[in-house]
């Protein structure tokens, strides 16, 4: 099928076919889903309705608890707002129960009717409680207060009698204080409902009555004021006893009657919860069965349709991707410069066949470009080779001109000056002095010869050094130490070569010349008044390079001069013999070997010359093989 689509259907029609197939499958899945869920909608609605009604037991339990809390708040604190909230909560509960009585189940209706009856009993007890508490408040705030004020007024009237003895006046004050304790204990009981305060109030009141009777008998005659006080005390006692009875009455209602009704309501709510839970479980199982059947139908139908869509999509996708992948690979080869890339031909005239034709034209152009590129590379290589040779010649010419203009000129000027002096001395007949001056001329000429030889040696580096081979530095430096043994002993220089030096690739004569110059430099300049001069040579390997260090304990080189010492004819100390070309030759040898050289030093702490030799690819492969 894939090959048929490639050979007979255009790319645009294949893409349209894939969109149409996807749309048909999506519409079919939507229709099947709608049919399945429409059939299941009735059971789901019934379950949702029952679920909404199933929370009535929780609401009843919570609202009854809140109702009882408000009743307790009113009972113990007397807030009118709490009583109003109790009435409002009762009405809401009754309304909810009446709405729920429309439930289909007879058992649920029976339990709700019982709860409604118990709730009415609870509310009736609360109304009685409210009545009892209001009566108590009336007694306390009116009668009890009036009787207390009357008794206090009569006792104050007795105190105001100037004919009474001091002892009697003191006794009346004690009676008045005890009477105040009675009132105080009564109010403490009403606030805390602690029976001990009522007992204390009775004891205090009996004490007041006994003292008044004692005073009345002590007068030996009937005192009308004391008699009135005793009568008021009796009314005073009756008022607070009645208030205590009312208090105990509404406490019995709240703690016994109403608490029992609330417990019964909660018990019936639990029965209702268990009943509704059982009904909900049955409906949930029925709904689960219905949902499972609907899900199975939907999954099976969707799987079949999606399998068909995947098969069609795979066929159409392969008919599009295969030619494109072939063309992509062809163009990848063409862009890399290949002139032999394989190009497929397609009979249908569409965008893919046009790309195939373009690839064929691209391949022809690549063939032509490849030929031109090869010719260009050959010319570029020849030009680069000539350029490098020209640069090297220019560098050497510049160095030579500089040398001739500066250092070679000095010996000539010196020689000419002494020759003029010798001529004058000869004319004057001073032959012995003239002969002495000839030594100066000889030294200048020898100096010029040494400079000429060093410049010739410098110019040869990099031009004729083509013999590159492996060099074992352990062997090379051992031979160097043996050849320089006499000079090293004469200078008192200790020459230390660390073991396990690397094997490098280079020109053996030039590498030997490099280390000879470094050793000669150490013999000339390494001086240490505190200990014997030392030259140590060792190595480390770091990041694809061999690092050779030449370390001495001489006076060191300041940072400002560490680059200048590699310049031609530059010398820090002019006392030792030399031309100042040795380190220049060392740097040029390192450059010719693709390496580098630098100095680490500070004044008075010795000098380290670091030689950096690259590790060749052959060395790297051999090291990996050994590892």
């Amino acid at each position: 099928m894939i090959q048929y689509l490639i050979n007979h259907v255009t790319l645009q029609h294949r893409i349209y076919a894939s969109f149409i197939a996807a749309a048909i499958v999506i519409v079919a899945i939507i229709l099947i889903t709608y049919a399945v869920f429409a059939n299941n909608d009735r059971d789901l609605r019934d379950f949702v309705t029952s679920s909404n009604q199933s929370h009535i037991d929780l609401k009843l339990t919570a609202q009854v608890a809140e109702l009882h809390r408000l009743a307790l708040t009113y009972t113990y604190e007397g807030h009118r707002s709490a009583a109003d909230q109790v009435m409002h909560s009762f009405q809401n509960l009754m309304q909810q129960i009446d709405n729920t009585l429309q439930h289909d189940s007879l058992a649920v209706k029976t339990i709700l009717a019982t709860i409604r009856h118990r709730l009415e009993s609870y509310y009736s007890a609360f109304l009685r409680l409210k009545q009892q508490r209001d009566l108590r408040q009336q007694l306390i705030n009116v009668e009890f207060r009036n009787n207390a004020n009357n008794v206090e007024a009569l006792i104050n009237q007795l105190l105001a009698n100037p004919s009474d003895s001091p002892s009697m006046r003191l006794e009346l004050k004690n009676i008045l204080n005890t009477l105040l304790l009675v009132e105080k204990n009564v109010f403490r009981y009403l606030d805390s409902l602690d029976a001990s305060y009522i007992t204390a109030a009775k004891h205090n009141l009996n004490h007041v009555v006994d003292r008044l009777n004692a005073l009345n008998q002590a007068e030996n005659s009937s005192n009308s004021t004391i008699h009135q006080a005793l009568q008021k005390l009796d009314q005073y006692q009756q008022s607070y006893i009645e208030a205590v009875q009312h208090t105990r009455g509404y406490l019995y209602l709240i703690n016994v009657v109403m608490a029992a009704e609330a417990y019964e309501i909660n018990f019936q709510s639990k029965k209702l919860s268990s009943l509704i839970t059982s009904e909900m479980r049955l409906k949930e199982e029925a709904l689960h069965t219905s949902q499972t059947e609907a899900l199975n139908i939907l999954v099976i139908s969707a799987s079949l349709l999606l399998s068909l869509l995947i098969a069609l999509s795979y066929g159409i996708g392969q008919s599009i991707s295969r030619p494109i992948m072939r063309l992509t690979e062809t163009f990848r080869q063409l862009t890399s410069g290949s002139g032999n890339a394989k190009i497929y031909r397609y009979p249908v005239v569409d965008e893919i066949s046009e790309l195939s034709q373009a690839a064929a034209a691209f391949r022809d152009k690549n063939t032509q470009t490849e030929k031109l590129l090869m010719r260009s590379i050959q010319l570029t290589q020849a030009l680069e080779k000539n350029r490098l040779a020209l640069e090297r010649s220019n560098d050497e010419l510049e160095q030579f001109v500089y040398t001739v203009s500066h250092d070679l000129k000095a010996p000539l000027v010196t020689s000419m000056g002494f020759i003029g002096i010798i001529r004058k001395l000869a004319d004057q007949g001073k032959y012995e002095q003239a002969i002495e001056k000839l030594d100066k001329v000889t030294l200048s000429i020898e100096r010029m010869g040494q400079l000429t030889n060093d410049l010739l040696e410098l110019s040869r580096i990099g031009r004729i050094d083509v013999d590159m081979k492996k060099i074992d530095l352990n062997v090379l430096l051992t031979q160097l130490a043996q050849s320089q043994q006499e000079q090293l002993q004469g200078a008192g220089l200790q020459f230390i070569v660390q073991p396990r030096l690397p094997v490098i690739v280079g020109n053996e004569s030039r590498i030997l010349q490099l280390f000879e110059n470094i050793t000669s430099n150490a013999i000339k300049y390494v001086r240490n008044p505190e200990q014997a001069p030392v030259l140590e040579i060792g190595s480390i390997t770091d990041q694809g390079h061999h690092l050779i260090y030449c370390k001495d304990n001489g006076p060191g080189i300041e940072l400002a001069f560490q680059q200048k010492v590699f310049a031609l004819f530059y010398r820090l100390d002019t006392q030792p013999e030399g031309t100042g070309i040795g380190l220049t030759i060392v740097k040029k040898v390192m450059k010719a070997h693709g390496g580098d050289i630098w100095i680490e030093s500070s004044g008075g702490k010795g000098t380290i010359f670091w030689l950096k030799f690259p590790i060749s690819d052959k060395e790297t492969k051999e090291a990996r093989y050994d590892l």
Side-chain angles (χ1 to χ4, degrees):
M1 182 186 72
I2 296 173
Q3 196 61 36
Y4 177 82
L5 291 173
I6 293 174
N7 294 331
H8 296 86
V9 183
T10 62
L11 177 63
Q12 186 177 10
H13 289 163
R14 276 177 267 166
I15 295 173
Y16 288 162
S18 64
F19 289 156
I20 293 171
I24 292 173
V25 170
I26 292 172
V27 171
I29 292 175
I30 291 173
L31 292 176
I32 293 172
T33 304
Y34 176 77
V36 169
F37 282 100
N39 187 40
N40 200 32
D41 182 62
R42 179 178 56 80
D43 294 337
L44 184 61
R45 289 183 180 180
D46 184 36
F47 178 79
V48 171
T49 302
S50 300
S51 178
N52 292 333
Q53 293 177 348
S54 66
H55 299 295
I56 181 64
D57 57 328
L58 299 177
K59 292 180 179 178
L60 281 174
T61 302
Q63 291 182 3
V64 168
E66 178 65 15
L67 182 69
H68 195 60
R69 186 189 69 80
L70 292 171
L72 288 172
T73 301
Y74 172 72
T75 300
Y76 290 103
E77 298 180 10
H79 296 313
R80 289 289 180 181
S81 59
D84 296 338
Q85 289 179 7
V86 169
M87 297 177 184
H88 181 69
S89 298
F90 169 76
Q91 294 174 0
N92 288 338
L93 278 171
M94 296 299 290
Q95 182 65 35
Q96 291 179 16
I97 293 173
D98 292 339
N99 293 335
T100 313
L101 281 173
Q102 300 175 4
H103 200 279
D104 296 336
S105 175
L106 179 62
V108 172
K109 288 182 178 180
T110 302
I111 294 175
L112 286 174
T114 303
I115 292 175
R116 192 177 191 282
H117 175 70
R118 293 292 182 180
L119 191 61
E120 289 175 346
S121 299
Y122 181 91
Y123 186 68
S124 175
F126 175 75
L127 293 178
R128 294 199 305 273
L129 179 150
K130 185 174 182 299
Q131 182 181 11
Q132 292 283 346
R133 203 178 193 290
D134 291 342
L135 288 174
R136 191 203 73 169
Q137 290 299 111
Q138 178 67 24
L139 285 170
I140 292 300
N141 295 331
V142 180
E143 293 184 18
F144 180 76
R145 177 63 65 183
N146 290 337
N147 290 330
N149 292 335
N150 291 332
V151 173
E152 291 175 6
L154 290 172
I155 293 175
N156 287 325
Q157 183 178 351
L158 291 172
L159 285 171
N161 188 359
S163 61
D164 292 339
S165 63
S167 60
M168 183 177 181
R169 293 174 62 84
L170 180 62
E171 182 67 18
L172 289 173
K173 288 182 180 181
N174 289 332
I175 291 172
L176 183 60
N177 291 332
T178 305
L179 186 62
L180 293 176
L181 285 176
V182 173
E183 184 178 359
K184 183 177 181 180
N185 286 323
V186 169
F187 279 106
R188 283 181 176 177
Y189 167 75
L190 296 177
D191 289 336
S192 64
L193 301 177
D194 187 355
S196 62
Y197 289 118
I198 288 298
T199 302
K202 289 181 179 180
H203 176 74
N204 293 331
L205 186 63
N206 291 332
H207 184 68
V208 170
V209 171
D210 292 341
R211 286 188 173 186
L212 286 175
N213 287 326
L215 288 175
N216 192 21
Q217 292 176 3
E219 292 291 329
N220 297 322
S221 63
S222 177
N223 191 324
S224 60
T225 303
I226 294 176
H227 183 68
Q228 292 178 7
L230 290 171
Q231 291 179 348
K232 291 296 181 181
L233 278 175
D234 184 60
Q235 295 176 2
Y236 180 72
Q237 184 176 12
Q238 291 297 324
S239 62
Y240 85 74
I241 290 174
E242 187 176 357
V244 169
Q245 290 175 350
H246 284 304
T247 301
R248 291 174 176 174
Y250 72 70
L251 288 176
Y252 172 79
L253 288 173
I254 189 67
N255 293 323
V256 179
V257 178
M258 294 173 65
E261 295 295 341
Y263 176 80
E264 183 64 24
I265 292 172
N266 289 331
F267 175 74
Q268 295 296 330
S269 298
K270 291 180 180 179
K271 288 178 60 178
L272 178 63
S273 174
S274 177
L275 182 61
I276 293 177
T277 301
S278 300
E279 292 182 357
M280 286 297 299
R281 188 177 294 109
L282 295 175
K283 291 184 178 181
E284 184 178 358
E285 292 176 357
L287 180 62
H288 179 70
T289 303
S290 176
Q291 291 285 355
T292 303
E293 294 175 355
L295 182 61
N296 291 335
I297 294 172
L298 182 60
V299 169
I300 293 171
S301 59
S303 299
L304 293 174
L305 291 172
L306 288 175
S307 299
L308 178 61
L309 177 61
I310 290 171
L312 292 173
S313 300
Y314 177 78
I316 296 173
Q318 287 295 315
S319 68
I320 296 172
S321 62
R322 283 184 185 178
I324 292 176
M325 290 174 64
R326 292 171 180 173
L327 286 171
T328 300
E329 180 61 27
T330 300
F331 276 104
R332 185 180 292 113
Q333 295 177 8
L334 292 174
T335 52
S336 64
S338 175
N340 299 319
K342 185 177 180 180
I343 298 176
Y344 293 89
R345 302 292 182 178
Y346 301 98
V348 178
V349 179
D350 58 3
E351 291 81 359
I352 294 178
S353 63
E354 292 178 359
L355 287 173
S356 179
Q357 295 173 6
F362 197 172
R363 183 179 62 183
D364 296 338
K365 293 293 184 183
N366 267 0
T367 303
Q368 298 175 7
T369 304
E370 187 175 357
K371 294 179 181 179
L372 295 173
L373 182 60
M374 291 299 296
R375 179 59 179 164
S376 176
I377 290 173
Q378 293 173 358
L379 295 174
T380 302
Q381 290 176 348
L383 182 61
E384 180 66 16
K385 185 176 180 181
N386 293 333
R387 185 185 66 80
L388 293 175
L390 180 60
E391 286 183 356
R392 186 166 59 249
S393 298
N394 288 338
D395 290 340
E396 293 174 356
L397 179 60
E398 183 179 356
Q399 292 290 335
F400 180 75
V401 171
Y402 178 82
T403 301
V404 172
S405 62
H406 290 81
D407 288 77
L408 290 181
K409 186 178 179 181
L412 290 175
V413 172
T414 302
S415 298
M416 293 300 295
F418 279 106
I419 290 172
I421 294 173
I422 291 170
R423 181 181 296 170
K424 290 181 180 180
L425 291 173
D427 291 341
Q428 295 174 4
K430 300 177 181 179
Y431 299 108
E432 293 181 0
Q433 295 181 8
I435 292 172
E436 292 177 0
K437 299 297 182 184
L438 283 174
D439 293 336
K440 301 292 185 179
V441 176
T442 302
L443 289 175
S444 296
I445 293 173
E446 288 176 355
R447 169 72 175 172
M448 186 169 62
Q450 186 180 0
L451 287 173
T452 304
N453 291 333
D454 289 343
L455 286 172
L456 181 60
E457 190 66 27
L458 179 65
S459 66
R460 289 176 179 173
I461 296 174
R463 288 193 295 113
I464 61 175
D465 300 335
V466 295
D467 185 16
M468 306 290 282
K469 63 179 182 179
K470 289 185 178 180
I471 304 171
D472 189 343
L473 293 181
N474 298 283
V475 177
L476 182 72
L477 291 175
T478 301
Q479 295 174 354
L480 175 63
Q482 292 174 356
S483 65
Q484 298 284 337
Q485 185 175 6
E486 184 176 350
Q487 290 86 342
L488 292 172
Q489 290 178 353
L493 180 68
Q494 185 181 359
F495 189 72
I496 301 174
V497 179
Q498 296 293 343
R500 302 184 65 181
L501 294 176
V503 177
I504 64 173
V505 176
N507 183 273
E508 186 173 3
S509 62
R510 294 305 175 195
I511 297 299
L512 179 60
Q513 182 184 17
L514 181 150
F515 284 105
E516 284 178 347
N517 288 354
I518 291 177
T519 306
S520 176
N521 209 53
I523 291 172
K524 294 176 184 178
Y525 295 105
V526 175
R527 299 289 184 271
N528 194 320
E530 298 179 359
Q531 55 184 343
V534 177
L535 175 62
E536 178 186 350
I537 299 179
S539 69
I540 60 174
T541 302
D542 180 55
Q543 297 182 355
H545 293 86
H546 294 306
L547 296 179
I548 312 299
Y549 63 87
C550 303
K551 179 180 179 183
D552 64 56
N553 61 346
I557 301 174
E558 296 292 342
L559 182 61
F561 303 104
Q562 290 178 9
Q563 291 297 326
K564 294 181 179 181
V565 295
F566 295 108
L568 193 61
F569 303 121
Y570 187 86
R571 295 196 300 166
L572 288 174
D573 188 356
T574 59
Q575 294 299 324
E577 296 180 357
T579 59
I581 300 179
L583 291 181
T584 307
I585 292 175
V586 169
K587 188 172 183 67
K588 191 167 184 180
V589 170
M590 291 303 300
K591 183 178 179 183
H593 284 77
D596 194 10
I597 181 172
W598 68 91
I599 295 174
E600 288 184 5
S601 177
S602 60
K605 295 183 180 180
T607 303
I608 302 177
F609 285 87
W610 286 98
L611 308 176
K612 181 179 180 182
F613 290 94
I615 298 177
S616 64
D617 295 338
K618 185 177 181 181
E619 288 183 83
T620 304
K621 291 179 181 178
E622 290 177 352
R624 290 177 180 172
Y625 179 76
D626 293 339
L627 182 62

